């Protein structure tokens, strides 16, 4: 166990192509949601995905940990290809953490139990150790004092920070965020973004669907613009915001920056 | 911290004020209060007279029951039969041990801070049935064998209800999960099972179990009547339970399944650790409802010739030595059922309160 983590730590720095998406298509029934997506993400990269509502952003990142199934093309995460094989899915999910728009904490468990559940049952970490590690992550997201409360007793911003800590407790190599701040009141958005910025600075590979353009500008290595199930444009933030190539991107940015 | 804590204002009304707001707030409430009060006064008196004041408790036989009140002497003299059926007198200690263990395991569940009550509860659903399985029928460990045809009364009622409840919950959970499974074959089997069992009356199930099942079984394979009845009751009840639990499963938002999946929990852990604890908690009232109705439905075993408590009482009422004791008998049966069903209900309320973590996800 420890050996395994050590060895991954050694090769941790910028493994190229930790996520590879090749010619991926997805349909919901007859509806072609994702069309020929191609994307390679290196370890340590921070990607922000934006685009109009219904463009398939959520669907795309949910394919990366197989919460949704793709029908054509390849998705390879940390050298494991996502297929119907449950073992592949399990091993990918162990390495990929996800944070949802609506937090999805387990309401019947305390904050600490939420964080320890998966390390104990999936990673088989002894309870003591799991709790100690969870407390460290809760400190990192600045709510160690809430550890024994139930999610229902926390504010939205606190819940989302617990959700981030819970995902981190699995020591994932990759973190997926699906609009983590869009269900929050404005005053809580900052506390969650601060945690995410800190996480980005620590070198975590992140894919983040968000409309927080400030976050994209400060943190992202690349911004990806999706529309109609396609990747329309892909560029570093300076280029993306300063000098967008595609007309659809320009239109989207105009709309979003007016607010 | 330095500020003095402010207490919420007291909502304690004096007795006069309480009566004014609750009983006499306007003219029709006052009228209702008076009417109900009158009924209570006129009916409680005679009822008390019959139940206690004029009732006969002591004596040697039917001839002593001469008063206007109830003849509890009848219940007292036949109590042994009502509780143990035909279980031999000198072996009844074995049943008493089970009663005592039942009390040890479950009575503490009502006492909030009883040390180790969780473990007693776990014993109640694991060790207890195993001990009972050895002790009551006997025939092993040098215990004299007592065939199930000799079991009866309250003891039989409790055995039927206890095993029915204990077995139908897990089977119901599996059926409910199966019915929501992605695998068409499993889903189909569960749907058929549930819909078939739920659509037949328990009486029919019992008849089938006692009369028809032996015809289908291969030669040499036979179960006792009690076992057949138990299988019938359990399967029938599981179908109901499954639907109650499925209701709970459907109420869990998709995000919970996804979050559990995204954390790498496989199907059984996802269900066991995340979904079922929430779903079962949501449907505690429905589950308890099913338990209580099962408890009372066990009386139907009467028609296949098993003497549960109702059967035991009914057969004694017919005894010509005792005249006009039917009401006493039925009141006694009703009281026994009420005690247990009320106990189940109170326990479930405790449980709901304890499990309430103040969320509405
Ligand atoms: N389970 C589903 N079945 C059928 N269609 C779906 C399903 N989920 C999503 N869709 C459709 O797929 C398209 C993409 O949805 P998706 O949720 O990925 O969009 P999005 O880019 O995340 O939008 P938003 O910004 O509103 O979250 C939408 O048109 C949506 O209606
Ligand atoms: Mg979305």
């Amino acid at each position: 166990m420890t050996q395994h983590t050590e060895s991954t730590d050694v090769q941790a720095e910028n493994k190229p192509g930790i996520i590879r998406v090749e010619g991926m298509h997805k349909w919901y029934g007859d509806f072609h949601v994702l069309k020929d997506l191609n994307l390679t993400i290196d370890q340590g990269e921070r990607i922000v995905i934006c685009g109009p509502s219904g463009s398939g952003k959520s669907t795309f990142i949910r394919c990366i940990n197989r919460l949704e199934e793709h029908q054509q093309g390849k998705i390879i995460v940390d050298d494991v290809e996502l297929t119907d094989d449950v073992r592949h899915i399990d091993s990918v999910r162990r390495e990929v953490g996800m944070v949802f728009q609506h937090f999805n904490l387990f309401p019947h468990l305390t904050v600490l139990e939420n964080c320890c559940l998966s390390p104990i049952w999936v990673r088989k970490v002894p309870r003591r150790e799991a709790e100690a590690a969870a407390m460290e992550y809760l400190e990192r997201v600045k709510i160690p004092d809430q550890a024994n409360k139930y999610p229902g007793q926390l504010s939205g911003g606190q819940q989302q920070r617990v959700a981030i800590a819970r995902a981190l407790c699995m020591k994932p190599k990759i973190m997926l965020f699906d609009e983590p701040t869009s269900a929050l009141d404005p005053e809580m958005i900052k506390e969650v973004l601060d945690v995410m910025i800190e996480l980005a600075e620590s070198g975590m590979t992140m894919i983040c669907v968000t409309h927080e353009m400030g976050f994209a500008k400060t943190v992202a290595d690349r911004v990806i613009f999706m529309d109609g199930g396609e990747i329309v444009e892909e560029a570093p933030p300076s280029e993306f915001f300063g000098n967008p190539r595609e007309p659809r991107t320009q239109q989207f940015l105009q709309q979003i920056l007016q607010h | 911290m330095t500020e003095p804590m402010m207490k919420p204002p007291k909502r304690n009304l004096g007795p006069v004020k309480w009566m004014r707001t609750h009983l006499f707030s306007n003219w029709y409430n006052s009228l209702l209060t008076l009417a109900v009060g009158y009924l209570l006064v006129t009916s409680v008196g005679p009822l008390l007279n019959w139940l206690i004041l004029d009732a006969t408790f002591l004596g040697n036989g039917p001839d002593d029951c001469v008063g206007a009140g109830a003849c509890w002497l009848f219940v007292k003299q036949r109590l042994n039969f009502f509780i143990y059926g035909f279980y031999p007198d000198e072996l009844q200690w074995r049943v008493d041990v089970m009663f005592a263990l039942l009390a040890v395991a479950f009575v503490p569940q009502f006492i909030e801070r009883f040390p180790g009550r969780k473990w007693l509860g776990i014993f109640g659903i694991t060790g207890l049935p195993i001990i009972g399985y050895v002790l009551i029928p006997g025939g092993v460990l040098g215990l004299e064998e007592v065939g199930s045809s000799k079991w009866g009364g309250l003891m039989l009622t409790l055995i039927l209800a206890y095993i029915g409840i204990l077995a139908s919950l897990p089977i119901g959970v599996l059926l409910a999960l199966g019915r929501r499974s992605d695998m068409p074959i499993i889903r189909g089997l569960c749907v058929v099972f549930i819909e078939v069992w739920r659509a037949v009356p328990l009486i029919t199930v019992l008849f089938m179990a006692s009369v028809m099942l032996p015809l289908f079984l291969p030669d040499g394979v036979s179960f006792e009547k009690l076992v057949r009845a138990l299988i019938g009751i359990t399967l029938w009840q599981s179908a109901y339970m499954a639907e109650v639990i499925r209701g709970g499963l459907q109420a869990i938002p998709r995000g919970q399944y996804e979050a559990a999946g995204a954390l790498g929990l496989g199907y059984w852990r996802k269900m066991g650790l995340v979904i079922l604890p929430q779903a079962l908690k949501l449907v505690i009232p429905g589950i308890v409802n099913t338990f209580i109705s099962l408890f009372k439905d066990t009386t139907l075993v009467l028609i296949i010739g098993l003497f549960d408590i109702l059967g035991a009482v009914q057969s004694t009422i017919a005894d010509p030595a005792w005249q006009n004791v039917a009401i006493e008998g039925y009141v006694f049966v009703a009281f026994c059922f009420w005690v247990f069903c009320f106990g189940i209900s109170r326990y479930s309320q405790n449980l709901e309160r304890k499990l309430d973590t103040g969320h509405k996800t």
Side-chain angles (χ1 to χ4, degrees):
Chain A
M1 196 81 216
T2 40
Q3 251 180 356
H4 175 73
T5 34
E6 268 167 26
S7 65
T8 51
D9 279 349
V10 172
Q11 48 160 277
E13 293 316 306
N14 302 337
K15 172 180 170 180
I18 191 165
I19 299 176
R20 296 205 303 272
V21 179
E22 294 165 10
M24 191 263 271
H25 291 259
K26 171 167 180 63
W27 287 262
Y28 279 125
D30 285 338
F31 176 49
H32 201 171
V33 210
L34 298 177
K35 300 165 191 160
D36 192 30
L37 300 191
N38 289 286
L39 184 68
T40 303
I41 298 172
D42 296 335
Q43 187 153 27
E45 261 198 301
R46 278 94 54 167
I47 308 288
V48 164
I49 302 179
C50 60
S53 181
S55 55
K57 307 177 298 284
S58 300
T59 310
F60 176 42
I61 69 165
R62 290 154 58 85
C63 283
I64 293 173
N65 65 353
R66 196 79 174 183
L67 285 181
E68 303 287 353
E69 197 176 311
H70 62 283
Q71 279 91 26
Q72 202 180 310
K74 274 187 188 172
I75 302 178
I76 300 162
V77 180
D78 199 20
D79 297 330
V80 178
E81 182 176 352
L82 280 169
T83 57
D84 282 332
D85 192 329
V86 182
R87 279 166 305 167
H88 288 190
I89 298 174
D90 285 345
S91 79
V92 166
R93 285 180 177 174
R94 272 197 289 272
E95 305 305 334
V96 180
M98 182 155 191
V99 175
F100 299 85
Q101 181 173 3
H102 296 287
F103 329 137
N104 296 350
L105 294 176
F106 305 136
H108 62 301
L109 300 177
T110 63
V111 165
L112 191 62
E113 288 166 341
N114 261 281
C115 292
C116 295
L117 190 72
S118 207
I120 290 175
W121 289 93
V122 178
R123 288 244 192 254
K124 314 278 184 213
V125 179
R127 177 174 295 271
R128 270 287 159 71
E129 257 174 62
E131 283 179 356
M135 283 311 294
E136 261 172 51
Y137 284 110
L138 286 173
E139 255 155 55
R140 226 169 118 181
V141 301
K142 305 191 181 60
I143 34 174
D145 44 330
Q146 314 284 354
N148 293 313
K149 286 196 183 166
Y150 286 96
Q153 299 165 314
L154 304 183
S155 75
Q158 290 171 326
Q159 290 194 43
Q160 193 60 299
R161 284 183 282 153
V162 173
I164 294 173
R166 177 177 72 177
L168 291 177
C169 281
M170 281 296 279
K171 302 203 164 49
K173 291 184 184 156
I174 300 159
M175 285 283 283
L176 308 175
F177 293 83
D178 190 1
E179 304 204 28
T181 56
S182 52
L184 296 176
D185 293 337
E187 70 268 26
M188 296 172 186
I189 291 180
K190 186 172 176 301
E191 63 188 46
V192 172
L193 286 181
D194 284 346
V195 167
M196 289 171 60
I197 289 170
E198 202 233 86
L199 187 62
E201 282 163 357
S202 77
M204 176 66 76
T205 312
M206 290 165 71
I207 304 180
C208 188
V209 175
T210 183
H211 292 128
E212 295 294 330
M213 292 303 145
F215 175 79
K217 279 178 197 161
T218 37
V219 176
D221 296 311
R222 264 189 290 167
V223 181
I224 289 172
F225 175 67
M226 285 181 69
D227 191 13
E230 292 170 321
I231 294 181
V232 175
E233 183 157 355
E234 186 187 328
S238 55
E239 205 174 302
F240 183 86
F241 292 107
N243 185 19
R245 272 172 289 133
E246 302 287 329
R248 275 194 277 180
T249 319
Q250 291 160 3
Q251 198 187 348
F252 174 75
L253 284 176
Q254 254 169 19
Q255 273 170 3
I256 219 169
L257 296 177
Q258 269 165 11
H259 298 291
Chain B
M1 268 297 157
T2 49
E3 276 179 47
M5 297 281 255
M6 230 172 105
K7 286 224 171 88
K10 279 220 172 77
R11 295 245 296 133
N12 206 349
L13 308 172
V16 176
K17 219 166 170 201
W18 185 89
M19 293 223 301
R20 175 143 331 135
T21 51
H22 290 93
L23 300 178
F24 298 100
S25 55
N26 51 37
W27 67 268
Y28 54 84
N29 266 349
S30 311
L31 214 65
L32 264 176
T33 304
L34 290 176
V36 171
Y38 174 77
L39 278 177
L40 278 177
V41 170
T42 50
S43 62
V44 166
L47 193 65
L48 267 183
N49 280 344
W50 185 82
L51 277 174
I52 299 167
L53 298 176
D54 294 341
T56 312
F57 292 94
L58 303 170
N60 301 317
D63 299 338
D64 290 313
C65 277
V66 287
C71 179
W72 297 125
L73 182 61
F74 159 70
V75 173
K76 199 170 122 192
Q77 293 212 329
R78 310 308 306 266
L79 195 59
N80 194 278
F81 182 58
F82 294 168
I83 291 182
Y84 304 100
F86 298 105
Y87 210 89
D89 283 351
E90 69 280 7
L91 299 177
Q92 281 172 7
W93 63 268
R94 282 158 39 179
V95 183
D96 293 336
V97 167
M98 292 315 296
F99 281 138
L101 288 178
L102 202 64
V104 166
F106 293 111
V107 172
Q109 307 304 326
F110 297 92
I111 305 163
E112 203 78 22
R113 265 184 274 284
F114 196 92
R117 72 171 184 164
K118 186 173 137 201
W119 294 107
L120 287 175
I122 291 174
F123 165 75
I125 56 173
T126 52
L128 187 81
I130 296 173
I131 298 176
Y133 182 74
V134 173
L135 210 53
I136 298 213
V140 284
L141 303 175
L143 293 166
E144 194 181 321
E145 189 170 343
V146 183
S148 65
S149 57
K150 295 215 173 95
W151 309 358
L154 180 64
M155 160 197 159
L156 183 66
T157 298
L158 288 180
I159 290 175
L160 289 168
Y162 181 83
I163 296 180
I165 285 174
L166 204 66
S168 65
L169 187 61
I171 299 178
V173 167
L174 290 179
L175 285 171
L177 291 177
R179 192 167 183 168
R180 285 172 59 83
S181 158
D182 294 332
M183 285 176 270
I185 295 177
I186 293 189
R187 189 171 57 230
L189 285 175
C190 290
V191 170
V192 168
F193 182 96
I194 292 171
E195 295 305 335
V196 166
W197 284 90
R198 211 164 48 134
V200 285
L202 182 56
I203 294 204
T204 327
V205 173
L206 289 172
F207 259 127
M208 299 270 255
S210 85
V211 182
M212 293 185 58
L213 192 64
L215 303 180
F216 299 133
L217 287 176
D219 283 344
V221 178
S222 76
F223 297 117
E224 286 175 74
K225 188 154 62 175
L226 177 66
V227 177
R228 280 179 275 146
L230 261 175
I231 294 174
I233 290 178
T234 303
L235 295 182
W236 183 79
Q237 198 63 49
S238 314
Y240 274 92
M241 196 57 86
E243 288 299 280
V244 171
I245 292 166
R246 191 164 68 94
L249 290 175
Q250 267 165 352
I252 305 301
R254 207 169 66 136
Q256 294 288 309
Y257 291 87
E258 290 177 350
L263 282 169
L265 296 168
Y267 178 81
W268 291 107
R269 291 199 180 117
K270 177 163 73 184
M271 290 302 167
L273 298 168
V274 176
I275 306 301
L276 279 172
Q278 296 182 60
L280 291 177
K281 189 179 96 182
L282 278 178
V283 294
I284 287 176
I287 292 177
V288 171
N289 212 9
T290 314
F291 282 170
I292 288 179
S293 78
L294 167 66
F295 201 99
K296 294 184 295 185
D297 284 340
T298 56
T299 50
L300 290 172
V301 296
L302 189 65
I303 60 142
I304 56 166
L306 294 172
F307 281 88
D308 75 321
I309 185 166
L310 182 63
V313 168
Q314 237 168 7
S315 69
T316 351
I317 289 169
D319 183 352
W322 293 88
Q323 305 280 320
N324 300 325
V325 286
I327 298 181
E328 287 84 341
Y330 288 125
V331 168
F332 173 72
V333 172
F335 178 73
C336 289
F337 274 102
W338 179 81
V339 166
F340 283 99
C341 293
F342 184 66
I344 297 176
S345 155
R346 292 302 308 198
Y347 174 62
S348 80
Q349 285 169 24
N350 272 357
L351 200 63
E352 273 182 72
R353 217 171 310 125
K354 203 181 86 185
L355 295 179
D356 183 17
T357 53
H359 63 273
K360 295 276 173 287
T361 303

